[in-house]
Amino acid sequence: MVGVGLVALLGLAACGGSGESTSSARAPMATAAPRQPAAPQQEDAGSGEAARAEASASAGQDSEKDTTTAQISTFALDVDTASYGYARRTLQEGRWPAPGEIRPEEWVNAFRQDYAQPSGDGFAVHVDGAKLPQRDEAVLRVGLQTRASDSAERRPANLTFVVDVSGSMAEAGRLDLVKAALLKLLDQLAPGDQVSIVSFSDDAEVLASMTPLTARQELRAAVERLSISGGTNLEAGVLTGYQEASKAFRPAATNRVILLSDGLANQGATQWQAISDRVKEQAAKQLTLLTVGVGRDYGDELMERLADTGDGMAVYVSSEEEATKLFTTQLPATLDLRARDAKAQVVFNPSVVESYRLIGYENRALTTEEFRDDSRDGGEIGPGHSVTALYALKLKPGAEGQLAQATVRWQDPDTRAASETGATLGSGDLAASIWSQASVRLQVDVVVAAFAVYLRDREAFGMDLGTLGEHAERLAGTSEDPMVSELATLIDRAGAIG
């Protein structure tokens, strides 16, 4: 039967607010945006990191949350998509992705959502859901959307490109792809922008200090000088890039470091933990980090963790077409920030919801108290970004009323003033059937998440690859979205490999 045991198997990808205190879990269900509580109990940085580490370690185990003891789910927002991009390339090459590289939330967030945008610079919160074929089971979707902008509206940008030129980047589709994309980006940036270029192999070298775009030819010449040599001292490259960005920091500009690498560090510090404190220190100075992964072999954990630590995002590109889209369309339009340290919190009604599971976000879990602790790190969200979280629910038989309240909290990128907004969903708002009455986009999200979990755990919410492929083919014909057609092809490819 399609979807048999969906909620039970969702737990294989779940992590739902694992650090919540019992007292917070028993708070009454709110009917409006939650009030600012009295000063929450503070914890030291080490205990917060320990809570998140424990949450991440528990993923795929007993992660179903009983609402009588864990009513609240809290996590930092994340717009990374590298997990999907790299797995797509892996499947296209006839290889099964490594389970540790599958992060279901990045797969869902790689797909278009079509949420309505807010009128201001904050978030629009969308909450919907649908009942599943199994009795008293449902899926809940929380969608968060920022307002898009075009290049003409954005503030000037200081961009420091840190380019890996080590021996492993000689593979076709690595450095040549990076150089082509950078040259196209230089043609897209505005006269008020400035660019610095750092290369690294055994050590780091500044090829161009911060240069205005009015001197494009100098920057193009620096890109052309990028050439292969030596090992991969990624630590030296990143730290030199931050030094250059710090020296040229403009308070009225967007200041960003962009690391382009296969992430296969073999000199200097080679683990993300070894340089995370230095990266975190720079992130506190409003220098954000974008990691762009390339190459058949890819250091996924290093690049993803650095992006999270650096208050940025991780993406992966495998073709010149993808790189061109990233650097000429997506990056210029999303250089600004709409929100700093953005976090989400979902409060479930224990009189209606028996238990819940959050799909993914294992390494973004927060404690309940950290939601309104503005010293705790959240996610940095740019213009036009959407963030989606899926929950699997077990409902109490016959119970009716409010299911959940979702709230997002963020800080203004410049003033650091905190804001919140939210939305609720009632049991009567659930679509009666996920496959026949739910929106196409919600159905796509469920198939995407199911496929990710199958690749990681060999179980897909009770569905085999054939069933997932049938849903993807049907949805591809309905949505007219090339990414959904690609999804159907990838599912077929996985079936041929597996």
Side-chain angles (χ1 to χ4, degrees), residues 96-395:
W96 197 270
E101 295 167 352
I102 302 295
R103 294 180 293 278
E105 75 277 12
E106 295 188 23
W107 288 54
V108 175
N109 284 328
F111 281 72
R112 197 180 85 217
Q113 299 298 332
D114 295 338
Y115 300 130
Q117 297 184 13
S119 57
D121 289 341
F123 287 87
V125 181
H126 304 270
V127 188
D128 62 359
K131 292 184 178 179
L132 301 172
Q134 300 72 39
R135 182 178 179 181
D136 301 321
E137 295 185 2
V139 62
L140 175 77
R141 179 174 65 165
V142 177
L144 308 171
Q145 178 72 50
T146 59
R147 180 177 61 85
S149 64
D150 58 40
S151 299
E153 296 178 8
R154 68 170 175 83
R155 69 181 71 190
N158 272 19
L159 305 179
T160 300
F161 291 93
V162 180
V163 184
D164 185 348
V165 294
S166 63
S168 62
M169 291 290 287
E171 174 194 298
R174 296 196 189 194
L175 185 59
D176 55 342
L177 181 153
V178 168
K179 290 175 69 172
L182 285 177
L183 290 171
K184 290 178 181 177
L185 174 64
L186 292 176
D187 293 333
Q188 298 292 319
L189 294 175
D193 297 330
Q194 297 185 140
V195 170
S196 176
I197 299 174
V198 174
S199 67
F200 68 94
S201 53
D202 296 323
D203 206 345
E205 179 184 1
V206 179
L207 298 181
S209 56
M210 199 61 74
T211 303
L213 263 293
T214 51
R216 276 187 175 86
Q217 288 307 115
E218 294 179 24
L219 292 169
R220 293 180 69 89
V223 172
E224 295 290 1
R225 289 201 302 274
L226 292 167
S227 60
I228 299 296
S229 67
T232 311
N233 193 337
L234 189 144
E235 177 189 28
V238 169
L239 296 182
T240 300
Y242 272 118
Q243 289 169 4
E244 289 299 304
S246 295
K247 287 191 296 185
F249 184 87
R250 286 192 288 171
T254 298
N255 297 268
R256 182 168 294 185
V257 175
I258 302 174
L259 171 64
L260 303 106
S261 173
D262 56 20
L264 302 178
N266 58 22
Q267 294 186 20
T270 59
Q271 302 296 321
W272 71 269
Q273 295 94 331
I275 55 175
S276 64
D277 288 343
R278 303 284 295 276
V279 170
K280 187 177 295 184
E281 178 184 331
Q282 297 298 328
K285 299 176 182 178
Q286 299 189 14
L287 289 170
T288 58
L289 177 66
L290 168 66
T291 66
V292 182
V294 296
R296 183 178 188 273
D297 297 313
Y298 171 58
D300 171 75
E301 181 184 28
L302 175 60
M303 298 287 275
E304 191 261 342
R305 292 289 190 157
L306 285 179
D308 285 350
T309 303
D311 284 347
M313 63 181 291
V315 299
Y316 177 88
V317 294
S318 60
S319 68
E320 187 170 340
E321 179 183 1
E322 292 172 16
T324 299
K325 180 180 179 181
L326 172 67
F327 283 107
T328 63
T329 303
Q330 296 172 337
L331 181 61
T334 59
L335 280 173
D336 282 348
L337 282 181
R338 288 280 185 249
R340 288 191 183 275
D341 289 327
K343 309 164 188 174
Q345 188 167 83
V346 181
V347 183
F348 292 94
N349 184 353
S351 67
V352 178
V353 179
E354 180 178 311
S355 64
Y356 66 88
R357 301 172 191 260
L358 171 61
I359 312 307
Y361 293 96
E362 287 89 353
N363 61 14
R364 305 296 280 168
L366 299 173
T367 65
T368 297
E369 292 79 11
E370 286 178 313
F371 181 65
R372 291 191 177 87
D373 181 352
D374 292 333
S375 69
R376 297 305 188 205
D377 189 38
E380 274 52 48
I381 310 298
H385 276 145
S386 63
V387 181
T388 299
L390 293 178
Y391 288 87
L393 309 181
K394 286 185 180 179
L395 307 177

Side-chain angles (χ1 to χ4, degrees), residues 376-429:
R376 297 305 188 205
D377 189 38
E380 274 52 48
I381 310 298
H385 276 145
S386 63
V387 181
T388 299
L390 293 178
Y391 288 87
L393 309 181
K394 286 185 180 179
L395 307 177
K396 292 193 172 180
E400 297 181 354
Q402 184 172 305
L403 287 173
Q405 173 183 290
T407 306
V408 59
R409 181 180 177 88
W410 72 97
Q411 297 175 40
D412 181 272
D414 298 318
T415 68
R416 293 286 186 170
S419 300
E420 290 185 15
T421 189
T424 61
L425 188 75
S427 58
D429 299 322

